[in-house]
Amino acid sequence: FSKSRNNTTAELKESFLFRIFLVMAMQQSSIIVAVDDLFFRSKIHETAKWLQANPVFVKNYSQLEQRFRNLSPKLIIVDLNFARFEPLESIEKLKKLFDLSSLLVIGFLSHVQLSLRDEAIEKGYDYVFPKSLFVQKLAEIIQDATQEKKAI
């Protein structure tokens, strides 16, 4: 059986509007990620997609600032050992330019890097996790951040 042309046009409009809504929803729950390690990149990407969040990966401060301006992210995740990104300086610069109080800045590192953890918190990170705990709590972190909650 065939559909009338009007029904097909209406379905296309609904489909188009649905896609626009979906894109807007994804932008509203964007996550900026500065991670170089392939394991953590894929873990974050898959977990974020599963939770219907949009992970956007950056490699340097200029990309971070540009994505921050364009996306209004709910969460920034940084590997504190990603030296080329300059994780401490990048978040400190971003914090000087923008109000970051409406989002979470999360860092992760090796469990033995206590001084780096303390320095990251001084520079503006909300939470710093050892890698193993970060992986365990990743879904909760993303879900809490994208659901307008500020506590983990």
Side-chain angles (χ1 to χ4, degrees):
F1 68 44
S2 65
K3 296 181 179 181
S4 72
R5 185 178 176 124
N6 288 340
N7 284 346
T8 304
T9 304
E11 288 173 1
L12 285 173
K13 285 180 183 176
E14 287 178 9
S15 174
F16 178 72
L17 291 174
F18 176 74
R19 278 190 254 144
I20 289 174
F21 172 77
L22 188 59
V23 167
M24 289 174 63
M26 293 297 277
Q27 285 179 340
Q28 291 175 347
S29 60
S30 290
I31 300 168
I32 296 177
V33 183
V35 174
D36 200 29
D37 182 281
L38 190 57
F39 170 78
F40 286 100
R41 282 178 67 95
S42 62
K43 186 76 173 164
I44 292 166
H45 182 266
E46 292 304 313
T47 304
K49 288 295 186 184
W50 181 68
L51 293 168
Q52 299 179 342
N54 181 27
V56 176
F57 292 87
V58 297
K59 294 181 181 179
N60 55 48
Y61 176 76
S62 62
Q63 287 181 353
L64 171 66
E65 184 180 337
Q66 179 185 16
R67 299 304 189 278
F68 186 85
R69 288 181 191 276
N70 295 337
L71 296 174
S72 300
K74 304 290 184 189
L75 175 64
I76 298 174
I77 297 174
V78 179
D79 179 353
L80 291 169
N81 292 304
F82 185 7
R84 282 186 295 134
F85 178 72
E86 299 178 331
L88 300 177
E89 297 82 359
S90 293
I91 295 302
E92 185 177 38
K93 281 193 243 180
L94 196 68
K95 196 170 189 168
K96 287 179 182 176
L97 288 175
F98 303 100
D99 176 17
L100 303 185
S101 62
S102 65
L103 62 98
L104 286 173
V105 179
I106 304 286
F108 65 89
L109 44 62
S110 173
H111 70 281
V112 296
Q113 296 177 296
L114 300 178
S115 62
L116 180 57
R117 180 200 65 199
D118 295 341
E119 197 174 349
I121 290 173
E122 282 179 25
K123 300 287 184 178
Y125 284 78
D126 295 304
Y127 298 97
V128 177
F129 294 103
K131 290 178 180 181
S132 58
L133 185 58
F134 173 74
V135 170
Q136 289 174 5
K137 294 180 69 79
L138 181 58
E140 182 183 347
I141 291 167
I142 293 172
Q143 191 170 27
D144 284 353
T146 59
Q147 291 182 354
E148 301 291 331
K149 294 178 185 175
K150 185 73 177 175
I152 293 183

